[in-house]
Amino acid sequence: MPSTQAAPARQQLSRRAAVLLAAGHDAASHDVLTQPLGDSTVVQRALETLTQVVDRDRTVVVVAQGDTRVRELLGPDLTYVEQTGAEGTGPAALAARGALPGDADVVLVAYGDTPLLRSESLLGLLTRHALKDADLTFLTAVLAEPRPAYDRVVRSDGRVTAIVSAGSEPAAGETEDGHEINVGAYVAAPAFLFEVLDELVAAGADRLTDLAHRTIADGRRVETYQIYDTDEVHGINSPAELQDAADILLKRLFMPKKNTDTTIHFGTGGWRAVIGEGYTLANVRRLSQAIANETTRQGLESRGVVVGGDRRFLSEESKIAAAEVFAGNNIPVTLLPDDVPTPLVTFAAPYLGAAYGIIVTSSHNPPEWNGIKVFRADGSLPLDDETDRYQDEANAMSVDDVITLDLDLARAAGVVVDRTLTDPYIDAIEKIVDVEAVRGTDLQVVVDPMYGTSQLTLGTILGDMRVRAEFIHAQHNPLFGGIAPAPDLQRLSALIEMIRSGGGRYALGMATDGDSDRIGIVDETGEYITTNDLLLLLYWYLHEVRGEKGGVVRNLATTHLLDRLAAHFGEESREVKVGFKHVTAGMEEIGAVLGGESSGGLTIRGWILGKDGIFACALVVEMLARTGKRISELREMVYAITGRLYTLEAGVPSTPEMRVAVPRRLEAEPLTHVGPYPVVSVSHLDGTKILLENDNWALLRFSGTEPVLRMFVEADSPEKAEELLEWLKGFVTAGV
């Protein structure tokens, strides 16, 4: 039997109505309503917020007599009334009386020149009015300093006892403890609202605030809803206020949204979100449906998809949810059992001839995150225009738009087939990496999978090489030991200590991140080797020892020593944006032998079109075996060719204020020097990269996968690198 408890709430929602006051009290204030703000206008944004809590067809817009511009902006489907005769917000609201729906039991009155109110605030206002059974409820805010344009609220024992006009002397009982103001949005029953307004307007009162005065004086129940984000308290009456509003809107674009934003957003490495907020099984299904729709539109259903997952919380359930959606859309699924590395799925798509490869992972993000990476038929990451299509279509879906088929039925029908692809993946690596060259070298290594997915595949390859490998942190732990599984210096202390205390028996320490597409290296002395140096060594090795001629591709946050080495070889080097899809695209364009990024990802020509930490580890072992040298020896040999540059990087939380202020300051203050060092040029390929003399540079870039502002520098000396990084930090924080 269906429940009836929710029916009154739904009925109450349907009986809301709204009035948007968009006439303006004079020509100047009317003009403000139509000014651009972000990608729309002031009045359009006010209406957009309002219609998130009240249906558009139950909203009345009050416009100036003879107005056409506001009507053009808001569209012909709304109900409009003209304010004639007396000016003021009271007569304006009263003008809407006859146009409101007859069944309305509550009316929300809002202003067209306050576009920064949030829908959550209006919803809070409506909800509080209903729960308190109030006669009148209005929005308030407490400010650190008074604002002359806003009336003040006076309370006694928590109840509103007066509203004092802006600029008036303090009222009885008013204190200096805080500055609570009337923001200017009201909720009341229509009969009460218009009855009182009728009397007030007839008596010559012209403001909605007079409605509040009368309600308080009559001893009626007056309630308030307080907003805490004072950015919402922002009426627009001047160009300066309009610019401030534009800054606030821009800041909001980057504001982490907790309980209301459950939309899917792709970054440079797929979709990632916090579990229980953006990352939900419902979103997994919606995104899978969008990709299934694209597969069907392209006529690729018969090629099927391959679906896998890593060791994170909800990965197993998520890959099953995805498989059920593809099966429900008549798209065959190869479902990879257990947990698998991301590069295995990258390999599996072209190996199986699948339309797409899907893996549930959020790579090196902290344990509370999960996500999905999507690979095209050739194993490459889709470009931005493709991922935009996936996310936009998914976000536009409701749960009812998703088609699923129960996994047991799908397996019974053969539309979902469980298949292990570990052996083909390992075999493919061993066709490229010289396994025989390593055998007999008696290498001993330590491997830290960081509780991730590389133990089986990398362990098998090292075993086939007859390398004695000791694994640490190999057990299944979805909390990753309480840290983000990123193979960087700060998180590899156990690996470093094991090498240093090993008495010289270990030739190498290797680490892979949570989904095994990134690599970290520690040399025989226990020194952490940056990926910048590792890329340099591997490029030299591939070109000079393996004889694989060709250029190199790096992202813009990766060492320029690669360019120097390429120039020494007479080969081309290419700089691309952050995101491995740009690296592989650049490799194809110039026929590069190696592509990589300083964050730990690399691949070589002839291997998959994606990062592969497992393959990289095997290649490093081969390099040691074939050269007969340790990492420290190889570094010194290559430095003799390229010289030295020193890199540093740092990250700070990218506050919304920073997202606005930093680009604006870079535009307003063209850089001529970084400290005492002259600027050669500035690149805006991806973020802002400041190029100095002698391949020195500094980079500011907001991450596409995390709420972080990243800073990178490369300089002639460690001291200069530190100096450049400190300058960047000072620039970022100045004025924010």
PDB file of all heavy atoms in Angstrom, residues 322-335:
ATOM      1  N   ALA A 322      27.824  -0.583 -13.161  1.00  0.00           N
ATOM      2  CA  ALA A 322      28.110  -0.172 -14.535  1.00  0.00           C
ATOM      3  C   ALA A 322      27.821  -1.303 -15.511  1.00  0.00           C
ATOM      4  O   ALA A 322      27.206  -1.090 -16.571  1.00  0.00           O
ATOM      5  CB  ALA A 322      29.568   0.270 -14.653  1.00  0.00           C
ATOM      6  N   ALA A 323      28.246  -2.510 -15.164  1.00  0.00           N
ATOM      7  CA  ALA A 323      28.014  -3.653 -16.045  1.00  0.00           C
ATOM      8  C   ALA A 323      26.525  -3.888 -16.267  1.00  0.00           C
ATOM      9  O   ALA A 323      26.091  -4.209 -17.385  1.00  0.00           O
ATOM     10  CB  ALA A 323      28.672  -4.899 -15.450  1.00  0.00           C
ATOM     11  N   GLU A 324      25.724  -3.720 -15.217  1.00  0.00           N
ATOM     12  CA  GLU A 324      24.285  -3.927 -15.352  1.00  0.00           C
ATOM     13  C   GLU A 324      23.646  -2.895 -16.276  1.00  0.00           C
ATOM     14  O   GLU A 324      22.692  -3.205 -17.000  1.00  0.00           O
ATOM     15  CB  GLU A 324      23.629  -3.889 -13.974  1.00  0.00           C
ATOM     16  CG  GLU A 324      23.976  -5.099 -13.113  1.00  0.00           C
ATOM     17  CD  GLU A 324      23.335  -5.064 -11.737  1.00  0.00           C
ATOM     18  OE1 GLU A 324      23.073  -3.942 -11.238  1.00  0.00           O
ATOM     19  OE2 GLU A 324      23.115  -6.136 -11.157  1.00  0.00           O
ATOM     20  N   VAL A 325      24.185  -1.673 -16.281  1.00  0.00           N
ATOM     21  CA  VAL A 325      23.642  -0.646 -17.176  1.00  0.00           C
ATOM     22  C   VAL A 325      23.986  -0.971 -18.631  1.00  0.00           C
ATOM     23  O   VAL A 325      23.121  -0.921 -19.512  1.00  0.00           O
ATOM     24  CB  VAL A 325      24.170   0.750 -16.788  1.00  0.00           C
ATOM     25  CG1 VAL A 325      23.794   1.775 -17.848  1.00  0.00           C
ATOM     26  CG2 VAL A 325      23.619   1.161 -15.435  1.00  0.00           C
ATOM     27  N   PHE A 326      25.237  -1.306 -18.906  1.00  0.00           N
ATOM     28  CA  PHE A 326      25.600  -1.636 -20.285  1.00  0.00           C
ATOM     29  C   PHE A 326      24.824  -2.856 -20.771  1.00  0.00           C
ATOM     30  O   PHE A 326      24.338  -2.880 -21.909  1.00  0.00           O
ATOM     31  CB  PHE A 326      27.105  -1.865 -20.392  1.00  0.00           C
ATOM     32  CG  PHE A 326      27.912  -0.607 -20.301  1.00  0.00           C
ATOM     33  CD1 PHE A 326      28.675  -0.329 -19.181  1.00  0.00           C
ATOM     34  CD2 PHE A 326      27.903   0.318 -21.335  1.00  0.00           C
ATOM     35  CE1 PHE A 326      29.407   0.841 -19.082  1.00  0.00           C
ATOM     36  CE2 PHE A 326      28.631   1.494 -21.254  1.00  0.00           C
ATOM     37  CZ  PHE A 326      29.393   1.758 -20.128  1.00  0.00           C
ATOM     38  N   ALA A 327      24.675  -3.848 -19.900  1.00  0.00           N
ATOM     39  CA  ALA A 327      23.901  -5.032 -20.279  1.00  0.00           C
ATOM     40  C   ALA A 327      22.452  -4.658 -20.560  1.00  0.00           C
ATOM     41  O   ALA A 327      21.839  -5.171 -21.507  1.00  0.00           O
ATOM     42  CB  ALA A 327      23.975  -6.075 -19.168  1.00  0.00           C
ATOM     43  N   GLY A 328      21.904  -3.761 -19.745  1.00  0.00           N
ATOM     44  CA  GLY A 328      20.530  -3.327 -19.965  1.00  0.00           C
ATOM     45  C   GLY A 328      20.331  -2.599 -21.277  1.00  0.00           C
ATOM     46  O   GLY A 328      19.217  -2.505 -21.792  1.00  0.00           O
ATOM     47  N   ASN A 329      21.429  -2.100 -21.850  1.00  0.00           N
ATOM     48  CA  ASN A 329      21.368  -1.406 -23.138  1.00  0.00           C
ATOM     49  C   ASN A 329      21.810  -2.301 -24.299  1.00  0.00           C
ATOM     50  O   ASN A 329      22.153  -1.802 -25.366  1.00  0.00           O
ATOM     51  CB  ASN A 329      22.226  -0.146 -23.079  1.00  0.00           C
ATOM     52  CG  ASN A 329      21.578   0.973 -22.287  1.00  0.00           C
ATOM     53  OD1 ASN A 329      20.859   1.790 -22.841  1.00  0.00           O
ATOM     54  ND2 ASN A 329      21.813   0.995 -20.972  1.00  0.00           N
ATOM     55  N   ASN A 330      21.805  -3.619 -24.068  1.00  0.00           N
ATOM     56  CA  ASN A 330      22.180  -4.602 -25.096  1.00  0.00           C
ATOM     57  C   ASN A 330      23.624  -4.438 -25.558  1.00  0.00           C
ATOM     58  O   ASN A 330      23.951  -4.688 -26.727  1.00  0.00           O
ATOM     59  CB  ASN A 330      21.257  -4.510 -26.316  1.00  0.00           C
ATOM     60  CG  ASN A 330      19.838  -4.960 -26.030  1.00  0.00           C
ATOM     61  OD1 ASN A 330      18.947  -4.735 -26.825  1.00  0.00           O
ATOM     62  ND2 ASN A 330      19.604  -5.605 -24.893  1.00  0.00           N
ATOM     63  N   ILE A 331      24.485  -4.029 -24.652  1.00  0.00           N
ATOM     64  CA  ILE A 331      25.904  -3.876 -24.964  1.00  0.00           C
ATOM     65  C   ILE A 331      26.678  -4.943 -24.187  1.00  0.00           C
ATOM     66  O   ILE A 331      26.657  -4.946 -22.949  1.00  0.00           O
ATOM     67  CB  ILE A 331      26.403  -2.471 -24.581  1.00  0.00           C
ATOM     68  CG1 ILE A 331      25.652  -1.412 -25.404  1.00  0.00           C
ATOM     69  CG2 ILE A 331      27.903  -2.354 -24.793  1.00  0.00           C
ATOM     70  CD1 ILE A 331      25.926   0.012 -24.977  1.00  0.00           C
ATOM     71  N   PRO A 332      27.345  -5.875 -24.875  1.00  0.00           N
ATOM     72  CA  PRO A 332      28.074  -6.933 -24.174  1.00  0.00           C
ATOM     73  C   PRO A 332      29.163  -6.357 -23.268  1.00  0.00           C
ATOM     74  O   PRO A 332      29.800  -5.351 -23.603  1.00  0.00           O
ATOM     75  CB  PRO A 332      28.679  -7.755 -25.314  1.00  0.00           C
ATOM     76  CG  PRO A 332      27.860  -7.425 -26.512  1.00  0.00           C
ATOM     77  CD  PRO A 332      27.411  -6.017 -26.337  1.00  0.00           C
ATOM     78  N   VAL A 333      29.373  -7.018 -22.145  1.00  0.00           N
ATOM     79  CA  VAL A 333      30.337  -6.552 -21.141  1.00  0.00           C
ATOM     80  C   VAL A 333      31.337  -7.660 -20.841  1.00  0.00           C
ATOM     81  O   VAL A 333      30.938  -8.795 -20.560  1.00  0.00           O
ATOM     82  CB  VAL A 333      29.632  -6.146 -19.833  1.00  0.00           C
ATOM     83  CG1 VAL A 333      30.653  -5.717 -18.783  1.00  0.00           C
ATOM     84  CG2 VAL A 333      28.622  -5.039 -20.081  1.00  0.00           C
ATOM     85  N   THR A 334      32.609  -7.323 -20.919  1.00  0.00           N
ATOM     86  CA  THR A 334      33.647  -8.178 -20.351  1.00  0.00           C
ATOM     87  C   THR A 334      33.948  -7.627 -18.969  1.00  0.00           C
ATOM     88  O   THR A 334      34.470  -6.506 -18.833  1.00  0.00           O
ATOM     89  CB  THR A 334      34.919  -8.163 -21.212  1.00  0.00           C
ATOM     90  OG1 THR A 334      34.612  -8.660 -22.509  1.00  0.00           O
ATOM     91  CG2 THR A 334      36.002  -9.027 -20.578  1.00  0.00           C
ATOM     92  N   LEU A 335      33.581  -8.384 -17.952  1.00  0.00           N
ATOM     93  CA  LEU A 335      33.717  -7.931 -16.564  1.00  0.00           C
ATOM     94  C   LEU A 335      34.973  -8.558 -15.966  1.00  0.00           C
ATOM     95  O   LEU A 335      35.104  -9.789 -15.911  1.00  0.00           O
ATOM     96  CB  LEU A 335      32.485  -8.329 -15.755  1.00  0.00           C
ATOM     97  CG  LEU A 335      32.392  -7.795 -14.331  1.00  0.00           C
ATOM     98  CD1 LEU A 335      32.373  -6.276 -14.302  1.00  0.00           C
ATOM     99  CD2 LEU A 335      31.138  -8.348 -13.640  1.00  0.00           C
TER     100      LEU A 335
END
